[in-house]
Amino acid sequence: MKSQKERRDMLENVRKICFSLPEVVEHIDGFGHITLQIRGKSFVKLTERAGLSFKSDRENQEFLLQKEQFLSMLVNTEI
């Protein structure tokens, strides 16, 4: 499990990348998870249990899962 500092650093890096996109807002959901959204739709979520997760279409998902640094614990195929 990552330390608090590692989690904060990761979140700041993710924020920096995501906030370079237009219309991105940060939202805390009903479970206390940090989500990044565009027009009310979440595309990145940071949780204690799952860590960092983000939405992807099927084609990009398959490409990313071939990379060693990505791990899929639960894949939601609904897009």
Side-chain angles (χ1 to χ4, degrees), residues 10-61:
M10 179 179 63
L11 179 58
E12 288 310 311
N13 287 334
V14 169
R15 281 181 174 135
K16 182 178 179 180
I17 293 166
C18 291
F19 281 117
S20 70
L21 301 170
E23 300 185 51
V24 172
V25 295
E26 186 171 306
H27 174 74
I28 306 295
D29 70 12
F31 298 101
H33 303 146
I34 296 169
T35 63
L36 298 173
Q37 302 177 341
I38 295 177
R39 297 184 204 144
K41 298 207 178 218
S42 298
F43 69 99
V44 172
K45 184 180 281 192
L46 184 67
T47 69
E48 286 289 326
R49 186 166 174 243
L52 178 68
S53 61
F54 56 94
K55 287 190 176 181
S56 167
D57 61 23
R58 174 67 74 186
E59 182 178 307
N60 286 318
Q61 182 183 72

